Every structure is written in structure tokens, then in C-alpha cells.
Amino acid sequence: FTEHIIPYVQFDNIVIAIILTGCLLGVGSSLVYKSGYSTGGGDVIMYIISKYAKITEGKSTLIMNVIIVLLGGVILGIHNVVYSIMIIAIITTITDKLLIGVSDSKMFYIHSSKNNEIRKYVLDNLNTGATLFQTKGGLMRKDREMLMVVVPTRDYYLFKEKILEIDSDVFFIVSDCYEVTGGVKRKNLPFI
């Protein structure tokens, strides 16, 4: 099917081939993962690592694939191992950036019946602050509390899983957070 375009996509420079391969695989993987699917095979192991280690899909892919490449390095040779690790690093970076976003921090808006437990976890374990808002539901017009928390992107996945562990019926919204000014524990955020 693609036979007639092969002469146009051959590269003499291995670095260009590595970058393009990593970019295309990273975009493709993130589209599959964002849709809630997997490509089978190693992705099943990746999802297991991601779930139990509480790390992103990109990082779990990195761990799994580097182990496989290093084990295969005996047969492949050092040059191919280095090229493969470069491709894996590009795939990991692009996958995480497309799935999680490019900001240094994430802002969570949380409606939960267990806001006190979530707030305690934030203050004790994430070493960041939390803000409580009084809100009123649009449908039932019921008064509730909403918790707002800004966490570094590196803690996003762990925090999301912990919220769901504390309250499986929680409602939360996550958005990119590009700038924060003030706050008691603001020095812990990466961009300040």
C-alpha cells in the first residue's frame, strides 16, 4: 500500500529517523491510551505497572521498554540499544505531554463527601496547600464545599489515584495551572 512513497521517506541520517520514529510512536500511543484502549502485548504490562506503581503511562512504558531493550542488548549490540533507548525516551516524553499536558502543575477542583480526608492527605503527604470554597449545586441547589488543590505535574497521577481511593464517588475537575502567586506552601510548586 505504501510502496510508492518509500523512496521519499528514507533517511540517511539516523538521528532524524530516531526523532521521527519517536514522535510518530508517541503521538500514536497517546491517542490510543487517551481513548481508553491498548495496542495489546506490552501495553497490558504497561497498564499493570502504571496502576500499581501509580505512575503515568509514559513512565511505565519507559521502564518496561528499557528493561526489554537492555535484555536484548546482548544480541542487538550497543549501537542499537542506544538508538532504541533514544526512541523510547522520545515516545515517553511525547506520550506524557499529550496525555497529561505541558504545564508544570495541575489544579484540582474536588467535590467530595470526604473533603477533610483529602485535605489531610494533601497537607501531610503532598506538602502543598488547599483552599475550601462554599458552593451551591446547580440542579439540587444544595450547599457543599469544594476543595481546590494545586499539585506539581509529577504528583498528578498519584494524587488522582489517591482521591479515587479515598472516595470512589468523588467528582473532580483537573486543569493545567501555569502560574501561582502567593499561598502558604507555594515554594513547593516547581514554577515558583
Side-chain angles (χ1 to χ4, degrees):
F1 181 70
T2 59
E3 183 178 3
H4 62 281
I5 64 167
I6 289 176
Y8 302 109
V9 293
Q10 290 180 350
F11 299 104
D12 295 332
N13 189 334
I14 190 71
V15 175
I16 292 174
I18 287 171
I19 292 171
L20 287 176
T21 301
C23 289
L24 289 173
L25 285 170
V27 170
S29 296
S30 59
L31 289 173
V32 170
Y33 303 152
K34 197 157 188 95
S35 300
Y37 297 104
S38 79
T39 59
D43 281 358
V44 175
I45 296 168
M46 178 270 304
Y47 276 123
I48 292 169
I49 293 170
S50 179
K51 178 179 180 182
Y52 291 107
K54 304 216 182 313
I55 57 176
T56 64
E57 286 88 349
K59 286 181 185 169
S60 58
T61 299
L62 175 70
I63 292 167
M64 180 189 67
N65 285 332
V66 166
I67 290 170
I68 292 169
V69 167
L70 290 176
L71 291 174
V74 177
I75 298 168
L76 298 173
I78 190 70
H79 289 87
N80 289 327
V81 168
V82 171
Y83 295 150
S84 297
I85 290 175
M86 289 168 64
I87 290 172
I88 292 167
I90 294 169
I91 293 169
T92 300
T93 303
I94 290 177
T95 300
D96 278 348
K97 293 299 180 191
L98 291 176
L99 286 177
I100 298 175
V102 295
S103 66
D104 290 332
S105 294
K106 300 292 180 197
M107 186 166 32
F108 283 77
Y109 293 102
I110 305 162
H111 267 281
S112 170
S113 58
K114 299 180 180 176
N115 270 349
N116 287 332
E117 290 177 47
I118 295 170
R119 186 179 55 81
K120 183 171 176 11
Y121 174 80
V122 167
L123 296 175
D124 294 345
N125 299 342
L126 294 181
N127 203 22
T128 188
T131 303
L132 284 171
F133 295 105
Q134 293 299 321
T135 62
K136 183 178 289 233
L139 179 63
M140 300 293 218
R141 313 223 14 107
K142 191 174 177 183
D143 290 333
R144 293 183 66 183
E145 277 187 342
M146 180 176 64
L147 189 65
M148 183 187 74
V149 180
V150 177
V151 298
T153 299
R154 67 179 178 272
D155 295 332
Y156 159 77
Y157 194 82
L158 176 68
F159 184 50
K160 181 179 90 166
E161 292 298 314
K162 188 64 178 178
I163 292 171
L164 293 169
E165 182 183 309
I166 292 171
D167 184 2
S168 59
D169 295 325
V170 67
F171 172 78
F172 64 88
I173 298 170
V174 183
S175 65
D176 285 325
C177 181
Y178 294 100
E179 185 175 345
V180 175
T181 303
V184 177
K185 296 187 178 184
R186 66 188 162 94
K187 65 183 179 292
N188 297 316
L189 296 172
F191 50 79
I192 294 184

